[in-house]
Amino acid sequence: MASAKSSARKKSRAPPKAPRADNRLPQILDAAAALFAARGYQAASIRDIVKVAGMLPGSLYYHFANKDELLAAVYGEGVRRISTAVSAAVAKESDPWAGLEAACVAHLESLVAPSPYAKVVISVQPADVPPVAKALIALRDGYEQQFVALISALPLPLHLRDRKSRTTLRMLLLGALNWAPTWYRPSGASPKRIARDFIHLIKAELAP
Amino acid sequence: MASAKSSARKKSRAPPKAPRADNRLPQILDAAAALFAARGYQAASIRDIVKVAGMLPGSLYYHFANKDELLAAVYGEGVRRISTAVSAAVAKESDPWAGLEAACVAHLESLVAPSPYAKVVISVQPADVPPVAKALIALRDGYEQQFVALISALPLPLHLRDRKSRTTLRMLLLGALNWAPTWYRPSGASPKRIARDFIHLIKAELAP
DNA sequence: TTTCAAGGCAAACAGTCGTTTGCTTTGTAT
DNA sequence: ATACAAAGCAAACGACTGTTTGCCTTGAAA
């Protein structure tokens, strides 16, 4: 996906060929996501990952140049999934506050879902993987633009209408949500409940 | 410190002896804190740590049974330092909201300070180190009791006086603060500014 | 049916990892 | 001055790491 296999596309005499149907790249991504999420990036070894995917270690390097780029691919897919879930949730609402609330619920539900892709986005710290750190941060920043838009649409009281206040609000909200997986327990409050409680605590008085 | 070297203290004939003055345990802790904070727990090797401390790899095992317990010791020291800083800051205030604000400022300042001990507490995820995960979580929970007390002292509006609302408030605030180091830049807003902005955004209307 | 690249196998490389063992140095209490 | 434990050295153990290389299989386009 994000790997360096573009190569030159010559049409003269050497058909580009299509990827095959038995391509096991999806299994690799799934296995990597599961193990990165469960044990952390460094502790998940290539051998563990390919074993789950049913391959041999060397085969992975046909798809990815190295372990870092495998992480980048999983991370990108994670961001894409969260982003899709949030967009879908927001699309159903028209009121600005309801939209933000729906986005927060979808965001947190993605983070604590059984699917490990989103968990990788939260638990892997870009700074711990210098070669791709910038790429990972860019992916995350891109996603957070959704929240920039949502918050800029809020009808806030006059003294909080400036850009700085809205940034503070975004950091407060996203930080609290991103941290929630560290104390979340399936037996406790649901993601929906948690996200709504956060929003209501803030909204109750900020709404006009 | 937290290592398993209690052993039997027999007074009969074999004086307990005191630790020596040239003990290099502090250097080990400092080096481990620095490398755990900079590269993450898994990526920081014993050999790197002892090199900074000026020793050989095997020597570390006189002080700690294994790498996990070294982490636990650093983590414990980190919690102790943050806790001390927060206590000191709170002690200067009498108003409940001012106390909470001072605590938040001290908390965040610890997290982004050049000293790496506090950073370990935030960036190391207990779940990634199963053998000592429970111990680390217990340390963190103990520290957070300070915030439980601070928030229970707040004079909140009637409809937010219950325990659940106060828990939500604590999670919102601590989550946002703990996440802040991921986007904090020394060139941007100061820790004090950030923590105060968070508090003011919440307080403005929750105060009676 | 032939062809050829997409995809994977098999096996190794060169390091690095956490940890253990036996022995030596050295500070300190006596 | 002497004794003894605290502390560290020196050297290795076995397992595991990410990655590379050359060869083989196979699905699909022609």
Side-chain angles (χ1 to χ4, degrees):
Chain A
M1 236 161 183
S3 87
K5 352 206 328 296
S6 45
S7 74
R9 295 272 173 184
K10 44 184 68 179
K11 188 189 270 187
S12 53
R13 206 75 316 243
K17 288 293 169 90
R20 319 189 347 188
D22 65 342
N23 192 322
R24 272 183 276 172
L25 194 146
Q27 284 92 319
I28 296 179
L29 287 174
D30 285 352
L35 288 170
F36 288 163
R39 308 183 193 171
Y41 172 69
Q42 312 269 6
S45 76
I46 298 283
R47 282 173 176 80
D48 290 341
I49 291 169
V50 296
K51 185 183 292 180
V52 172
M55 321 175 42
L56 292 181
S59 308
L60 185 143
Y61 290 84
Y62 174 77
H63 298 280
F64 299 96
N66 52 51
K67 195 186 176 186
D68 290 342
E69 294 209 11
L70 169 58
L71 171 66
V74 171
Y75 198 99
E77 176 63 18
V79 169
R80 207 186 56 77
R81 293 193 183 193
I82 306 177
S83 194
T84 300
V86 168
S87 294
V90 169
K92 295 180 193 160
E93 309 288 340
S94 56
D95 175 69
W97 278 100
L100 180 61
E101 178 175 314
C104 289
V105 169
H107 178 85
L108 187 53
E109 279 179 341
S110 297
L111 299 194
V112 301
S115 163
Y117 281 95
K119 200 167 293 183
V120 172
V121 178
I122 293 303
S123 62
V124 171
Q125 303 192 275
D128 287 349
V129 195
V132 291
K134 290 196 136 181
L136 304 189
I137 291 173
L139 284 167
R140 192 134 86 188
D141 285 351
Y143 161 66
E144 290 190 0
Q145 286 306 307
Q146 287 196 53
F147 283 83
V148 172
L150 285 166
I151 289 178
S152 80
L154 291 180
L156 293 176
L158 281 167
H159 62 104
L160 294 175
R161 285 229 171 110
D162 55 314
R163 237 178 57 85
K164 210 171 72 57
S165 291
R166 294 184 193 268
T167 299
T168 300
L169 176 56
R170 186 176 85 250
M171 295 311 195
L172 178 70
L173 209 41
L174 276 176
L177 291 172
N178 289 342
W179 192 258
T182 68
W183 52 266
Y184 169 78
R185 298 287 171 268
S187 56
S190 69
K192 183 176 296 191
R193 166 92 280 139
I194 294 169
R196 285 187 170 164
D197 285 349
F198 282 165
I199 286 281
H200 291 159
L201 196 63
I202 293 174
K203 174 186 173 185
E205 356 275 335
L206 292 175
Chain B
M1 237 159 181
S3 91
K5 354 207 326 295
S6 45
S7 73
R9 296 271 175 186
K10 42 184 70 177
K11 190 190 271 185
S12 52
R13 211 59 334 229
K17 288 290 169 89
R20 325 192 337 191
D22 63 344
N23 192 322
R24 272 184 277 174
L25 194 146
Q27 284 92 320
I28 296 179
L29 287 174
D30 284 353
L35 287 171
F36 288 162
R39 307 183 194 171
Y41 173 68
Q42 312 269 5
S45 77
I46 298 283
R47 283 175 174 80
D48 289 342
I49 292 168
V50 297
K51 184 182 293 180
V52 172
M55 320 175 40
L56 293 181
S59 309
L60 185 144
Y61 290 84
Y62 174 78
H63 298 280
F64 299 98
N66 51 52
K67 194 186 176 185
D68 291 342
E69 295 210 10
L70 169 59
L71 171 65
V74 171
Y75 199 100
E77 176 63 17
V79 169
R80 206 186 57 76
R81 294 192 183 194
I82 305 177
S83 194
T84 300
V86 168
S87 294
V90 169
K92 294 180 193 161
E93 309 289 341
S94 57
D95 175 70
W97 278 102
L100 180 60
E101 178 176 313
C104 289
V105 170
H107 179 85
L108 187 53
E109 280 179 341
S110 297
L111 299 194
V112 301
S115 163
Y117 281 94
K119 200 167 292 183
V120 172
V121 177
I122 293 303
S123 63
V124 171
Q125 301 193 275
D128 287 348
V129 197
V132 292
K134 291 197 135 179
L136 304 190
I137 290 172
L139 284 166
R140 193 135 85 187
D141 285 352
Y143 162 66
E144 290 191 1
Q145 287 306 308
Q146 286 197 52
F147 282 83
V148 172
L150 284 167
I151 289 178
S152 81
L154 291 181
L156 293 176
L158 281 167
H159 62 105
L160 294 174
R161 285 229 173 110
D162 55 313
R163 236 177 59 84
K164 211 170 72 56
S165 292
R166 294 184 193 267
T167 299
T168 300
L169 177 56
R170 186 174 85 251
M171 296 310 195
L172 179 70
L173 210 41
L174 276 176
L177 290 172
N178 289 341
W179 192 257
T182 68
W183 52 267
Y184 169 79
R185 298 286 171 268
S187 55
S190 69
K192 184 176 294 189
R193 166 91 280 138
I194 294 168
R196 285 187 171 164
D197 284 350
F198 283 165
I199 285 281
H200 292 159
L201 197 62
I202 293 175
K203 175 186 174 185
E205 358 275 335
L206 264 50

